[in-house]
Amino acid sequence: MRILVVEDDVNLNRQLVEALQEAGYVVDKAFDGEEGHFLGETEPYDAVILDIGLPEMDGITVLEKWRAEQRVMPVLILTARDRWSDKVAGIDAGADDYVTKPFHVEEVLARIRALIRRAAGHASSEIVCGPVRLDTKSSKALVDGVALKLTSHEYRLLSYLMHHMGEVVSRTELVEHLYDQDFDRDSNTIEVFVGRLRKKIGVDMIETVRGLGYRIQAPSK
């Protein structure tokens, strides 16, 4: 899963980025509204954390522009505690949720997990596909109750496929959501990770849809 953090406070930006990366997300960052708008307009994100009080272009304007451009990724806005009007303006502009400053990073992580789950149509923090269970809260995957030892890239791949269970996901889409903007992207590496996942899962669940991509679904009985 790929997240964009748009926050002009350097220390807070770094704190959020590090926490998200530790939780297994790929993270891009911006420090002003213009840069944030450009990234959100041109790159595919699974969620965005957007501060309201940004230089160059304020967060409300950024959000309004994204929605006008039909960008539908979930957006969590950050607001000052005493500015209730910002919360209302943010929600009216198209925000999906908000957190007031100061906040605990754990709350932001929980709200981001919830936004991504809801966007993919999942209500629970656990996503189940046949014998595979993905615990998005702890960033762990289990098969028949036994924890899988996955690399960060393998977990991200499995997580993205399971969030889009039953759908055909192209290699290009996987590359765009598994790597940040500065990574030297090569869709051929996806085949390697899929092969490793298949071996570790030990169940025939990840289907190659020739010419289109991959799909994960529960094995037929």
Side-chain angles (χ1 to χ4, degrees):
M1 295 295 173
R2 190 175 173 197
I3 310 293
L4 172 63
V5 175
V6 190
E7 166 61 62
D8 63 314
D9 184 302
V10 175
N11 289 330
L12 182 54
N13 191 307
R14 176 182 50 78
Q15 184 181 10
L16 289 168
V17 168
E18 289 178 353
L20 288 162
Q21 289 174 335
E22 288 178 5
Y25 297 101
V26 174
V27 189
D28 292 332
K29 58 183 180 293
F31 296 93
D32 63 66
E34 287 188 354
E35 181 185 15
H37 170 257
F38 174 76
L39 289 174
E41 180 186 30
T42 57
E43 297 286 341
Y45 293 104
D46 297 291
V48 176
I49 297 173
L50 175 67
D51 185 35
I52 293 298
L54 294 168
E56 306 300 334
M57 184 188 302
D58 66 88
I60 298 297
T61 301
V62 171
L63 184 53
E64 288 176 337
K65 285 179 173 290
W66 281 340
R67 296 316 190 209
E69 296 156 357
Q70 304 302 309
R71 302 296 289 172
V72 298
M73 65 281 193
V75 175
L76 173 70
I77 58 173
L78 307 179
T79 72
R81 184 176 295 279
D82 59 346
R83 292 293 299 274
W84 64 266
S85 58
D86 283 347
K87 302 172 188 175
V88 174
I91 297 297
D92 285 343
D96 299 273
D97 200 357
Y98 67 84
V99 171
T100 56
K101 298 179 180 179
F103 51 78
H104 292 289
V105 173
E106 290 77 8
E107 179 183 0
V108 173
L109 293 177
R111 290 182 180 275
I112 284 294
R113 288 195 300 267
L115 289 178
I116 292 174
R117 287 199 311 268
R118 289 200 292 268
H122 300 287
S124 171
S125 62
E126 292 188 345
I127 303 175
V128 179
C129 181
V132 179
R133 179 163 58 90
L134 186 76
D135 186 339
T136 61
K137 184 177 180 180
S138 63
S139 300
K140 293 182 179 179
L142 303 93
V143 175
D144 291 327
V146 179
L148 292 175
K149 293 182 179 180
L150 302 176
T151 67
S152 60
H153 284 94
E154 290 167 355
Y155 175 81
R156 291 170 190 164
L157 174 59
L158 179 61
S159 176
Y160 194 83
L161 288 174
M162 289 192 66
H163 273 84
H164 298 83
M165 190 167 26
E167 303 175 17
V168 177
V169 182
S170 70
R171 292 181 186 175
T172 300
E173 182 177 349
L174 287 171
V175 168
E176 289 176 338
H177 288 264
L178 295 182
Y179 304 116
D180 62 38
Q181 60 176 335
D182 297 323
F183 192 87
D184 183 14
R185 301 170 182 177
D186 181 0
S187 63
N188 290 327
T189 60
I190 296 298
E191 290 185 24
V192 176
F193 292 136
V194 168
R196 291 179 184 173
L197 268 181
R198 283 174 171 152
K199 291 180 180 178
K200 291 185 178 183
I201 293 173
V203 181
D204 188 14
M205 294 176 53
I206 303 177
E207 173 190 4
T208 299
V209 182
R210 190 174 298 278
L212 296 177
Y214 301 97
R215 173 172 52 208
I216 191 169
Q217 53 191 354
S220 56
K221 297 182 179 179

